[in-house]
């Protein structure tokens, strides 16, 4: 699996949380809402003006994706986890579902092993989740972690846990373009969407 180039770095990244819902309003104006039970991330990258020698490898990577058909890993720059994630963290138990997952292998009796806003993913799945509440480990090094959306698939017992802000993505559009200024610098924005399967 290829990885989105880390250089040149974007000057900004817009991160969008996409959670489809169905909303209807009755004649009484009572609102009825149901969740689709799905979620994915969308990321828009805005790059500073670049000389051709800097832009060309990035442009080559983008065109090699052949529109939306390709997929790749993208690591969100400068987003180290705020929790310690200390220890060798693994999934604690099979057949887990819902928006809480039990983990093991943390350093015992530590506060803030996971922090709200941290990203987390599990071996065997492309999906990246966000932690929604701070968690502490108990005397056995276990912790229950709340996540923003129900698990897409139940990870295996003792599956590895990653907090490295990595997303499996594809391009949002089959068409990507760049604007070349008269001083021969390239302006570029690109939109990515999380690939779940």
């Amino acid at each position: 699996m290829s990885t989105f180039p880390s250089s040149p770095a974007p000057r900004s990244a817009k991160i969008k949380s996409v959670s489809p819902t169905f909303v209807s309003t009755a004649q009484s104006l009572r609102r009825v809402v149901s969740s689709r039970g799905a979620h994915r991330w969308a990321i828009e990258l805005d790059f500073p003006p670049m000389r051709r020698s800097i832009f060309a490898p990035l442009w080559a990577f983008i065109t090699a994706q052949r529109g939306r058909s390709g997929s790749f890993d993208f690591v969100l720059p400068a987003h180290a986890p705020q929790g310690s994630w200390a220890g060798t963290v693994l999934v604690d138990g099979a057949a887990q579902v819902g928006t809480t997952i039990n983990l093991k292998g943390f350093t015992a009796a530590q506060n803030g092993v996971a922090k709200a806003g941290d990203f987390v993913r599990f071996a065997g799945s492309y999906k990246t989740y966000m932690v929604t509440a701070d968690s502490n480990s108990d005397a056995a090094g276990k912790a229950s972690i709340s996540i923003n959306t129900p698990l897409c698939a139940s990870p295996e017992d003792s599956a590895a846990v990653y907090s490295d802000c990595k997303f499996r993505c594809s391009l949002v559009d089959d068409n990507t373009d760049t604007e070349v200024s008269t001083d021969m610098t390239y302006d570029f924005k690109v939109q990515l969407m999380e690939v779940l399967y």
Side-chain angles (χ1 to χ4, degrees):
M1 179 56 54
S2 60
T3 300
F4 193 93
S6 59
S7 179
R11 64 181 162 196
S12 67
K14 181 189 291 184
I15 307 164
K16 183 186 295 185
S17 174
V18 181
S19 299
T21 57
F22 177 79
V23 181
S24 63
T25 304
Q27 290 290 332
S28 65
L29 301 183
R30 179 178 178 181
R31 190 174 75 128
V32 178
V33 181
S34 62
S35 171
R36 300 290 190 188
H39 176 271
R40 75 175 174 193
W41 300 100
I43 301 168
E44 181 179 307
L45 304 176
D46 183 9
F47 291 85
M50 298 170 276
R51 293 289 179 190
R52 183 180 180 189
S53 59
I54 296 172
F55 175 65
L58 174 61
W59 187 234
F61 177 86
I62 294 295
T63 58
Q65 301 309 309
R66 294 174 291 122
R68 293 172 289 177
S69 67
S71 61
F72 48 86
D73 289 332
F74 173 75
V75 178
L76 194 61
H79 272 72
Q82 298 181 95
S84 68
W85 295 91
T88 303
V89 185
L90 305 170
V91 173
D92 185 22
Q96 298 192 56
V97 295
T99 57
T100 301
I101 184 162
N102 298 317
L103 305 179
K104 60 187 177 183
F106 287 107
T107 300
Q110 295 290 308
N111 291 331
V113 291
K115 292 277 194 178
D118 286 351
F119 291 101
V120 63
R121 57 193 178 87
F122 311 106
S125 173
Y126 294 157
K127 177 69 185 141
T128 298
Y129 303 89
M130 179 176 279
V131 176
T132 57
D134 294 357
S135 294
N136 306 321
S137 62
D138 64 16
K142 297 185 177 188
S144 292
I145 307 296
S146 297
I147 54 177
N148 63 307
T149 191
L151 289 162
C152 289
S154 178
E156 294 182 5
D157 182 37
S158 297
V161 177
Y162 307 102
S163 59
D164 54 5
C165 296
K166 183 183 287 185
F167 302 81
R168 179 64 56 86
C169 293
S170 70
L171 300 176
V172 167
D173 203 317
D174 288 332
N175 304 314
T176 54
D177 56 66
T178 181
E179 183 175 332
V180 186
S181 300
T182 54
D183 63 356
M184 292 305 296
T185 57
Y186 291 74
D187 288 329
F188 187 61
K189 291 182 180 180
V190 65
Q191 293 182 320
L192 315 178
M193 62 181 174
E194 186 179 27
V195 175
L196 302 184
Y197 302 100

